[in-house]
Every structure is written in structure tokens, then in C-alpha cells.
Amino acid sequence: MMTYVNIFNTLSQYAPEEVANEDKKQEHFYDGLSDELQDKLSTTKFEDFNDLVNVVIRAEHKMKTLEAKNKHPAPT
């Protein structure tokens, strides 16, 4: 995820009108997320861009943790 954040921030320097305000910046960042992340976060309101990034990082981490757990279920 941090790679996407870094690339987004770098590219946004070349299109400042596309990220001219907080709502546009969040919208463009959100549109670049996977469908699965978008679905999980679709009902969440973010305070600002940094809040969005932090929530996405936590959500992705949780998804990967659950994925790994499902691949290797605990013995019953």
C-alpha cells in the first residue's frame, strides 16, 4: 500500500488541478484502490486524506491477516 501512496503523491504533483481540494484528492486515491478495499470502505467517511490513507493501510493489513489465517486454519 505504501508504494501506491508514494506513487499517488508523486503523480499528483503533475496534475495539481486533479487534487486541488481534499475531496478530489480523496476521490482519486479511493478510485485507485482495489474493488475489495473500496467495497469494505464504501460506507466510511474520512476526516482528510491522511485519515483515508491510515484507514486503508489498516484495512489492507487486516485483509492480509485474515487471508493468511484462512490459508492455514488452526487445528481443531
Side-chain angles (χ1 to χ4, degrees):
M1 182 53 57
M2 290 310 299
T3 301
Y4 173 57
V5 172
N6 291 332
I7 291 170
F8 179 85
N9 286 329
T10 299
L11 293 176
S12 67
Q13 295 175 24
Y14 299 102
E17 67 282 352
E18 294 297 320
V19 293
N21 63 50
E22 196 63 35
D23 289 338
K24 288 176 83 172
K25 189 172 185 177
Q26 287 184 44
E27 180 182 340
H28 284 294
F29 183 83
Y30 184 86
D31 288 345
L33 297 174
S34 70
D35 290 341
E36 187 175 10
L37 275 171
Q38 286 184 26
D39 180 56
K40 291 193 180 308
L41 303 174
S42 64
T43 60
T44 306
K45 177 72 175 147
F46 307 99
E47 291 182 31
D48 57 25
F49 179 73
N50 289 330
D51 185 39
L52 168 59
V53 170
N54 289 332
V55 170
V56 167
I57 290 169
R58 286 193 311 268
E60 182 187 50
H61 175 73
K62 183 64 173 178
M63 285 171 40
K64 286 182 178 181
T65 301
L66 289 172
E67 200 174 278
K69 184 177 178 181
N70 289 335
K71 285 183 181 178
H72 306 288
T76 55

PDB file of all heavy atoms in Angstrom, residues 4 8-9 12 15-32 45-50 52:
ATOM      1  N   TYR A   4       1.711   2.417  -3.413  1.00  0.00           N
ATOM      2  CA  TYR A   4       0.619   3.150  -4.060  1.00  0.00           C
ATOM      3  C   TYR A   4       0.535   4.577  -3.523  1.00  0.00           C
ATOM      4  O   TYR A   4       0.387   5.528  -4.290  1.00  0.00           O
ATOM      5  CB  TYR A   4      -0.710   2.419  -3.865  1.00  0.00           C
ATOM      6  CG  TYR A   4      -1.898   3.209  -4.359  1.00  0.00           C
ATOM      7  CD1 TYR A   4      -1.976   3.642  -5.674  1.00  0.00           C
ATOM      8  CD2 TYR A   4      -2.936   3.550  -3.502  1.00  0.00           C
ATOM      9  CE1 TYR A   4      -3.062   4.377  -6.133  1.00  0.00           C
ATOM     10  CE2 TYR A   4      -4.022   4.284  -3.938  1.00  0.00           C
ATOM     11  CZ  TYR A   4      -4.069   4.695  -5.264  1.00  0.00           C
ATOM     12  OH  TYR A   4      -5.137   5.434  -5.704  1.00  0.00           O
ATOM     13  N   PHE A   8       1.015   7.753  -5.861  1.00  0.00           N
ATOM     14  CA  PHE A   8      -0.089   8.709  -5.939  1.00  0.00           C
ATOM     15  C   PHE A   8       0.405  10.116  -5.613  1.00  0.00           C
ATOM     16  O   PHE A   8       0.105  11.077  -6.337  1.00  0.00           O
ATOM     17  CB  PHE A   8      -1.216   8.308  -4.982  1.00  0.00           C
ATOM     18  CG  PHE A   8      -2.372   9.258  -4.997  1.00  0.00           C
ATOM     19  CD1 PHE A   8      -3.369   9.123  -5.937  1.00  0.00           C
ATOM     20  CD2 PHE A   8      -2.449  10.298  -4.086  1.00  0.00           C
ATOM     21  CE1 PHE A   8      -4.436  10.008  -5.981  1.00  0.00           C
ATOM     22  CE2 PHE A   8      -3.507  11.177  -4.107  1.00  0.00           C
ATOM     23  CZ  PHE A   8      -4.501  11.037  -5.057  1.00  0.00           C
ATOM     24  N   ASN A   9       1.147  10.257  -4.532  1.00  0.00           N
ATOM     25  CA  ASN A   9       1.654  11.571  -4.138  1.00  0.00           C
ATOM     26  C   ASN A   9       2.599  12.154  -5.186  1.00  0.00           C
ATOM     27  O   ASN A   9       2.548  13.352  -5.476  1.00  0.00           O
ATOM     28  CB  ASN A   9       2.334  11.505  -2.778  1.00  0.00           C
ATOM     29  CG  ASN A   9       1.337  11.385  -1.657  1.00  0.00           C
ATOM     30  OD1 ASN A   9       0.216  11.886  -1.728  1.00  0.00           O
ATOM     31  ND2 ASN A   9       1.730  10.704  -0.587  1.00  0.00           N
ATOM     32  N   SER A  12       0.496  13.130  -8.284  1.00  0.00           N
ATOM     33  CA  SER A  12      -0.412  14.252  -8.029  1.00  0.00           C
ATOM     34  C   SER A  12       0.295  15.597  -8.196  1.00  0.00           C
ATOM     35  O   SER A  12      -0.354  16.609  -8.453  1.00  0.00           O
ATOM     36  CB  SER A  12      -1.043  14.134  -6.646  1.00  0.00           C
ATOM     37  OG  SER A  12      -0.080  14.284  -5.634  1.00  0.00           O
ATOM     38  N   ALA A  15      -0.454  16.830 -11.689  1.00  0.00           N
ATOM     39  CA  ALA A  15      -1.855  17.143 -12.012  1.00  0.00           C
ATOM     40  C   ALA A  15      -2.498  17.826 -10.805  1.00  0.00           C
ATOM     41  O   ALA A  15      -3.468  17.313 -10.240  1.00  0.00           O
ATOM     42  CB  ALA A  15      -2.606  15.878 -12.394  1.00  0.00           C
ATOM     43  N   PRO A  16      -1.980  18.977 -10.407  1.00  0.00           N
ATOM     44  CA  PRO A  16      -2.482  19.613  -9.183  1.00  0.00           C
ATOM     45  C   PRO A  16      -3.967  19.963  -9.238  1.00  0.00           C
ATOM     46  O   PRO A  16      -4.638  19.955  -8.207  1.00  0.00           O
ATOM     47  CB  PRO A  16      -1.621  20.862  -9.046  1.00  0.00           C
ATOM     48  CG  PRO A  16      -1.021  21.096 -10.381  1.00  0.00           C
ATOM     49  CD  PRO A  16      -0.935  19.758 -11.054  1.00  0.00           C
ATOM     50  N   GLU A  17      -4.488  20.205 -10.419  1.00  0.00           N
ATOM     51  CA  GLU A  17      -5.917  20.517 -10.531  1.00  0.00           C
ATOM     52  C   GLU A  17      -6.791  19.315 -10.190  1.00  0.00           C
ATOM     53  O   GLU A  17      -7.935  19.454  -9.785  1.00  0.00           O
ATOM     54  CB  GLU A  17      -6.263  21.060 -11.919  1.00  0.00           C
ATOM     55  CG  GLU A  17      -6.110  20.071 -13.049  1.00  0.00           C
ATOM     56  CD  GLU A  17      -4.674  19.810 -13.528  1.00  0.00           C
ATOM     57  OE1 GLU A  17      -3.740  20.498 -13.090  1.00  0.00           O
ATOM     58  OE2 GLU A  17      -4.503  18.886 -14.344  1.00  0.00           O
ATOM     59  N   GLU A  18      -6.249  18.113 -10.346  1.00  0.00           N
ATOM     60  CA  GLU A  18      -7.000  16.887 -10.041  1.00  0.00           C
ATOM     61  C   GLU A  18      -7.070  16.605  -8.543  1.00  0.00           C
ATOM     62  O   GLU A  18      -7.903  15.821  -8.098  1.00  0.00           O
ATOM     63  CB  GLU A  18      -6.392  15.681 -10.766  1.00  0.00           C
ATOM     64  CG  GLU A  18      -6.501  15.745 -12.262  1.00  0.00           C
ATOM     65  CD  GLU A  18      -7.942  15.739 -12.742  1.00  0.00           C
ATOM     66  OE1 GLU A  18      -8.759  14.997 -12.167  1.00  0.00           O
ATOM     67  OE2 GLU A  18      -8.245  16.488 -13.690  1.00  0.00           O
ATOM     68  N   VAL A  19      -6.184  17.213  -7.780  1.00  0.00           N
ATOM     69  CA  VAL A  19      -6.162  17.023  -6.324  1.00  0.00           C
ATOM     70  C   VAL A  19      -6.169  18.386  -5.622  1.00  0.00           C
ATOM     71  O   VAL A  19      -5.580  18.559  -4.562  1.00  0.00           O
ATOM     72  CB  VAL A  19      -4.948  16.170  -5.884  1.00  0.00           C
ATOM     73  CG1 VAL A  19      -5.079  14.746  -6.376  1.00  0.00           C
ATOM     74  CG2 VAL A  19      -3.641  16.790  -6.363  1.00  0.00           C
ATOM     75  N   ALA A  20      -6.862  19.327  -6.240  1.00  0.00           N
ATOM     76  CA  ALA A  20      -6.848  20.718  -5.775  1.00  0.00           C
ATOM     77  C   ALA A  20      -7.488  20.902  -4.401  1.00  0.00           C
ATOM     78  O   ALA A  20      -7.147  21.834  -3.688  1.00  0.00           O
ATOM     79  CB  ALA A  20      -7.537  21.616  -6.797  1.00  0.00           C
ATOM     80  N   ASN A  21      -8.410  20.026  -4.043  1.00  0.00           N
ATOM     81  CA  ASN A  21      -9.003  20.119  -2.707  1.00  0.00           C
ATOM     82  C   ASN A  21      -9.055  18.726  -2.092  1.00  0.00           C
ATOM     83  O   ASN A  21      -8.807  17.722  -2.747  1.00  0.00           O
ATOM     84  CB  ASN A  21     -10.384  20.788  -2.754  1.00  0.00           C
ATOM     85  CG  ASN A  21     -11.395  20.005  -3.564  1.00  0.00           C
ATOM     86  OD1 ASN A  21     -11.556  18.799  -3.370  1.00  0.00           O
ATOM     87  ND2 ASN A  21     -12.087  20.672  -4.480  1.00  0.00           N
ATOM     88  N   GLU A  22      -9.382  18.705  -0.829  1.00  0.00           N
ATOM     89  CA  GLU A  22      -9.367  17.454  -0.054  1.00  0.00           C
ATOM     90  C   GLU A  22     -10.309  16.398  -0.636  1.00  0.00           C
ATOM     91  O   GLU A  22      -9.951  15.223  -0.742  1.00  0.00           O
ATOM     92  CB  GLU A  22      -9.749  17.775   1.394  1.00  0.00           C
ATOM     93  CG  GLU A  22      -9.427  16.721   2.395  1.00  0.00           C
ATOM     94  CD  GLU A  22      -7.961  16.411   2.560  1.00  0.00           C
ATOM     95  OE1 GLU A  22      -7.097  17.296   2.456  1.00  0.00           O
ATOM     96  OE2 GLU A  22      -7.661  15.228   2.779  1.00  0.00           O
ATOM     97  N   ASP A  23     -11.513  16.803  -1.036  1.00  0.00           N
ATOM     98  CA  ASP A  23     -12.483  15.844  -1.580  1.00  0.00           C
ATOM     99  C   ASP A  23     -11.984  15.213  -2.877  1.00  0.00           C
ATOM    100  O   ASP A  23     -12.102  13.999  -3.069  1.00  0.00           O
ATOM    101  CB  ASP A  23     -13.838  16.513  -1.822  1.00  0.00           C
ATOM    102  CG  ASP A  23     -14.560  16.836  -0.527  1.00  0.00           C
ATOM    103  OD1 ASP A  23     -14.250  16.210   0.509  1.00  0.00           O
ATOM    104  OD2 ASP A  23     -15.437  17.726  -0.547  1.00  0.00           O
ATOM    105  N   LYS A  24     -11.431  16.024  -3.773  1.00  0.00           N
ATOM    106  CA  LYS A  24     -10.934  15.495  -5.047  1.00  0.00           C
ATOM    107  C   LYS A  24      -9.753  14.560  -4.823  1.00  0.00           C
ATOM    108  O   LYS A  24      -9.644  13.516  -5.468  1.00  0.00           O
ATOM    109  CB  LYS A  24     -10.540  16.641  -5.981  1.00  0.00           C
ATOM    110  CG  LYS A  24     -11.714  17.412  -6.541  1.00  0.00           C
ATOM    111  CD  LYS A  24     -11.268  18.580  -7.367  1.00  0.00           C
ATOM    112  CE  LYS A  24     -10.936  18.127  -8.770  1.00  0.00           C
ATOM    113  NZ  LYS A  24     -10.666  19.263  -9.673  1.00  0.00           N
ATOM    114  N   LYS A  25      -8.879  14.930  -3.901  1.00  0.00           N
ATOM    115  CA  LYS A  25      -7.708  14.101  -3.614  1.00  0.00           C
ATOM    116  C   LYS A  25      -8.141  12.741  -3.067  1.00  0.00           C
ATOM    117  O   LYS A  25      -7.662  11.698  -3.516  1.00  0.00           O
ATOM    118  CB  LYS A  25      -6.801  14.820  -2.616  1.00  0.00           C
ATOM    119  CG  LYS A  25      -5.462  14.147  -2.409  1.00  0.00           C
ATOM    120  CD  LYS A  25      -4.549  15.017  -1.568  1.00  0.00           C
ATOM    121  CE  LYS A  25      -3.183  14.406  -1.454  1.00  0.00           C
ATOM    122  NZ  LYS A  25      -2.250  15.261  -0.689  1.00  0.00           N
ATOM    123  N   GLN A  26      -9.083  12.755  -2.118  1.00  0.00           N
ATOM    124  CA  GLN A  26      -9.578  11.505  -1.565  1.00  0.00           C
ATOM    125  C   GLN A  26     -10.274  10.665  -2.634  1.00  0.00           C
ATOM    126  O   GLN A  26     -10.093   9.452  -2.694  1.00  0.00           O
ATOM    127  CB  GLN A  26     -10.556  11.787  -0.417  1.00  0.00           C
ATOM    128  CG  GLN A  26      -9.892  12.282   0.833  1.00  0.00           C
ATOM    129  CD  GLN A  26     -10.875  12.451   1.969  1.00  0.00           C
ATOM    130  OE1 GLN A  26     -11.721  11.596   2.192  1.00  0.00           O
ATOM    131  NE2 GLN A  26     -10.750  13.552   2.700  1.00  0.00           N
ATOM    132  N   GLU A  27     -11.068  11.319  -3.475  1.00  0.00           N
ATOM    133  CA  GLU A  27     -11.805  10.600  -4.516  1.00  0.00           C
ATOM    134  C   GLU A  27     -10.862   9.893  -5.485  1.00  0.00           C
ATOM    135  O   GLU A  27     -11.049   8.716  -5.806  1.00  0.00           O
ATOM    136  CB  GLU A  27     -12.697  11.575  -5.283  1.00  0.00           C
ATOM    137  CG  GLU A  27     -13.497  10.930  -6.382  1.00  0.00           C
ATOM    138  CD  GLU A  27     -14.342  11.944  -7.153  1.00  0.00           C
ATOM    139  OE1 GLU A  27     -14.610  13.043  -6.635  1.00  0.00           O
ATOM    140  OE2 GLU A  27     -14.718  11.613  -8.290  1.00  0.00           O
ATOM    141  N   HIS A  28      -9.844  10.591  -5.939  1.00  0.00           N
ATOM    142  CA  HIS A  28      -8.900   9.981  -6.884  1.00  0.00           C
ATOM    143  C   HIS A  28      -8.103   8.851  -6.236  1.00  0.00           C
ATOM    144  O   HIS A  28      -7.862   7.819  -6.857  1.00  0.00           O
ATOM    145  CB  HIS A  28      -7.962  11.029  -7.476  1.00  0.00           C
ATOM    146  CG  HIS A  28      -8.602  11.885  -8.509  1.00  0.00           C
ATOM    147  ND1 HIS A  28      -9.029  11.398  -9.728  1.00  0.00           N
ATOM    148  CD2 HIS A  28      -8.913  13.196  -8.504  1.00  0.00           C
ATOM    149  CE1 HIS A  28      -9.563  12.363 -10.434  1.00  0.00           C
ATOM    150  NE2 HIS A  28      -9.517  13.480  -9.708  1.00  0.00           N
ATOM    151  N   PHE A  29      -7.703   9.041  -4.982  1.00  0.00           N
ATOM    152  CA  PHE A  29      -6.969   7.997  -4.282  1.00  0.00           C
ATOM    153  C   PHE A  29      -7.857   6.763  -4.102  1.00  0.00           C
ATOM    154  O   PHE A  29      -7.448   5.640  -4.390  1.00  0.00           O
ATOM    155  CB  PHE A  29      -6.499   8.508  -2.916  1.00  0.00           C
ATOM    156  CG  PHE A  29      -5.667   7.511  -2.150  1.00  0.00           C
ATOM    157  CD1 PHE A  29      -4.309   7.390  -2.399  1.00  0.00           C
ATOM    158  CD2 PHE A  29      -6.233   6.698  -1.177  1.00  0.00           C
ATOM    159  CE1 PHE A  29      -3.528   6.474  -1.694  1.00  0.00           C
ATOM    160  CE2 PHE A  29      -5.471   5.777  -0.469  1.00  0.00           C
ATOM    161  CZ  PHE A  29      -4.119   5.677  -0.729  1.00  0.00           C
ATOM    162  N   TYR A  30      -9.073   6.986  -3.650  1.00  0.00           N
ATOM    163  CA  TYR A  30     -10.039   5.915  -3.414  1.00  0.00           C
ATOM    164  C   TYR A  30     -10.311   5.145  -4.705  1.00  0.00           C
ATOM    165  O   TYR A  30     -10.381   3.918  -4.697  1.00  0.00           O
ATOM    166  CB  TYR A  30     -11.329   6.535  -2.862  1.00  0.00           C
ATOM    167  CG  TYR A  30     -12.402   5.553  -2.484  1.00  0.00           C
ATOM    168  CD1 TYR A  30     -12.417   4.975  -1.231  1.00  0.00           C
ATOM    169  CD2 TYR A  30     -13.406   5.227  -3.381  1.00  0.00           C
ATOM    170  CE1 TYR A  30     -13.410   4.077  -0.870  1.00  0.00           C
ATOM    171  CE2 TYR A  30     -14.400   4.336  -3.028  1.00  0.00           C
ATOM    172  CZ  TYR A  30     -14.401   3.759  -1.783  1.00  0.00           C
ATOM    173  OH  TYR A  30     -15.386   2.875  -1.445  1.00  0.00           O
ATOM    174  N   ASP A  31     -10.455   5.854  -5.825  1.00  0.00           N
ATOM    175  CA  ASP A  31     -10.728   5.207  -7.116  1.00  0.00           C
ATOM    176  C   ASP A  31      -9.601   4.266  -7.538  1.00  0.00           C
ATOM    177  O   ASP A  31      -9.837   3.327  -8.296  1.00  0.00           O
ATOM    178  CB  ASP A  31     -10.965   6.251  -8.207  1.00  0.00           C
ATOM    179  CG  ASP A  31     -12.302   6.949  -8.060  1.00  0.00           C
ATOM    180  OD1 ASP A  31     -13.167   6.460  -7.302  1.00  0.00           O
ATOM    181  OD2 ASP A  31     -12.476   8.004  -8.707  1.00  0.00           O
ATOM    182  N   GLY A  32      -8.393   4.501  -7.048  1.00  0.00           N
ATOM    183  CA  GLY A  32      -7.258   3.657  -7.400  1.00  0.00           C
ATOM    184  C   GLY A  32      -7.118   2.418  -6.534  1.00  0.00           C
ATOM    185  O   GLY A  32      -6.265   1.567  -6.801  1.00  0.00           O
ATOM    186  N   LYS A  45     -16.644   7.566   6.220  1.00  0.00           N
ATOM    187  CA  LYS A  45     -16.349   8.971   5.945  1.00  0.00           C
ATOM    188  C   LYS A  45     -14.996   9.277   6.560  1.00  0.00           C
ATOM    189  O   LYS A  45     -14.729   8.923   7.706  1.00  0.00           O
ATOM    190  CB  LYS A  45     -17.437   9.868   6.559  1.00  0.00           C
ATOM    191  CG  LYS A  45     -17.198  11.332   6.405  1.00  0.00           C
ATOM    192  CD  LYS A  45     -17.411  11.778   4.984  1.00  0.00           C
ATOM    193  CE  LYS A  45     -17.288  13.292   4.910  1.00  0.00           C
ATOM    194  NZ  LYS A  45     -16.734  13.754   3.686  1.00  0.00           N
ATOM    195  N   PHE A  46     -14.152   9.911   5.794  1.00  0.00           N
ATOM    196  CA  PHE A  46     -12.792  10.197   6.245  1.00  0.00           C
ATOM    197  C   PHE A  46     -12.640  11.685   6.546  1.00  0.00           C
ATOM    198  O   PHE A  46     -13.154  12.528   5.822  1.00  0.00           O
ATOM    199  CB  PHE A  46     -11.780   9.762   5.179  1.00  0.00           C
ATOM    200  CG  PHE A  46     -11.966   8.335   4.767  1.00  0.00           C
ATOM    201  CD1 PHE A  46     -12.652   8.022   3.608  1.00  0.00           C
ATOM    202  CD2 PHE A  46     -11.496   7.311   5.561  1.00  0.00           C
ATOM    203  CE1 PHE A  46     -12.848   6.706   3.232  1.00  0.00           C
ATOM    204  CE2 PHE A  46     -11.698   5.982   5.198  1.00  0.00           C
ATOM    205  CZ  PHE A  46     -12.371   5.681   4.032  1.00  0.00           C
ATOM    206  N   GLU A  47     -11.917  11.988   7.616  1.00  0.00           N
ATOM    207  CA  GLU A  47     -11.707  13.379   8.014  1.00  0.00           C
ATOM    208  C   GLU A  47     -10.883  14.141   6.974  1.00  0.00           C
ATOM    209  O   GLU A  47     -11.164  15.282   6.661  1.00  0.00           O
ATOM    210  CB  GLU A  47     -11.004  13.454   9.363  1.00  0.00           C
ATOM    211  CG  GLU A  47     -11.856  12.990  10.516  1.00  0.00           C
ATOM    212  CD  GLU A  47     -11.130  13.118  11.839  1.00  0.00           C
ATOM    213  OE1 GLU A  47     -10.294  14.042  11.985  1.00  0.00           O
ATOM    214  OE2 GLU A  47     -11.394  12.293  12.721  1.00  0.00           O
ATOM    215  N   ASP A  48      -9.841  13.477   6.479  1.00  0.00           N
ATOM    216  CA  ASP A  48      -8.961  14.092   5.490  1.00  0.00           C
ATOM    217  C   ASP A  48      -8.194  12.989   4.761  1.00  0.00           C
ATOM    218  O   ASP A  48      -8.405  11.801   5.018  1.00  0.00           O
ATOM    219  CB  ASP A  48      -8.004  15.105   6.139  1.00  0.00           C
ATOM    220  CG  ASP A  48      -7.154  14.506   7.253  1.00  0.00           C
ATOM    221  OD1 ASP A  48      -6.913  13.273   7.258  1.00  0.00           O
ATOM    222  OD2 ASP A  48      -6.708  15.253   8.129  1.00  0.00           O
ATOM    223  N   PHE A  49      -7.314  13.385   3.860  1.00  0.00           N
ATOM    224  CA  PHE A  49      -6.559  12.424   3.058  1.00  0.00           C
ATOM    225  C   PHE A  49      -5.730  11.495   3.941  1.00  0.00           C
ATOM    226  O   PHE A  49      -5.689  10.286   3.718  1.00  0.00           O
ATOM    227  CB  PHE A  49      -5.669  13.168   2.056  1.00  0.00           C
ATOM    228  CG  PHE A  49      -4.838  12.249   1.218  1.00  0.00           C
ATOM    229  CD1 PHE A  49      -5.419  11.491   0.212  1.00  0.00           C
ATOM    230  CD2 PHE A  49      -3.478  12.136   1.429  1.00  0.00           C
ATOM    231  CE1 PHE A  49      -4.656  10.629  -0.574  1.00  0.00           C
ATOM    232  CE2 PHE A  49      -2.702  11.284   0.645  1.00  0.00           C
ATOM    233  CZ  PHE A  49      -3.299  10.538  -0.348  1.00  0.00           C
ATOM    234  N   ASN A  50      -5.074  12.051   4.949  1.00  0.00           N
ATOM    235  CA  ASN A  50      -4.239  11.221   5.825  1.00  0.00           C
ATOM    236  C   ASN A  50      -5.069  10.188   6.578  1.00  0.00           C
ATOM    237  O   ASN A  50      -4.626   9.058   6.779  1.00  0.00           O
ATOM    238  CB  ASN A  50      -3.452  12.090   6.806  1.00  0.00           C
ATOM    239  CG  ASN A  50      -2.359  12.870   6.125  1.00  0.00           C
ATOM    240  OD1 ASN A  50      -1.802  12.430   5.129  1.00  0.00           O
ATOM    241  ND2 ASN A  50      -2.061  14.043   6.649  1.00  0.00           N
ATOM    242  N   LEU A  52      -7.834   8.826   5.450  1.00  0.00           N
ATOM    243  CA  LEU A  52      -8.142   7.817   4.430  1.00  0.00           C
ATOM    244  C   LEU A  52      -6.976   6.850   4.269  1.00  0.00           C
ATOM    245  O   LEU A  52      -7.156   5.632   4.297  1.00  0.00           O
ATOM    246  CB  LEU A  52      -8.468   8.492   3.095  1.00  0.00           C
ATOM    247  CG  LEU A  52      -8.540   7.605   1.847  1.00  0.00           C
ATOM    248  CD1 LEU A  52      -9.593   6.521   1.993  1.00  0.00           C
ATOM    249  CD2 LEU A  52      -8.799   8.450   0.615  1.00  0.00           C
TER     250      LEU A  52
END
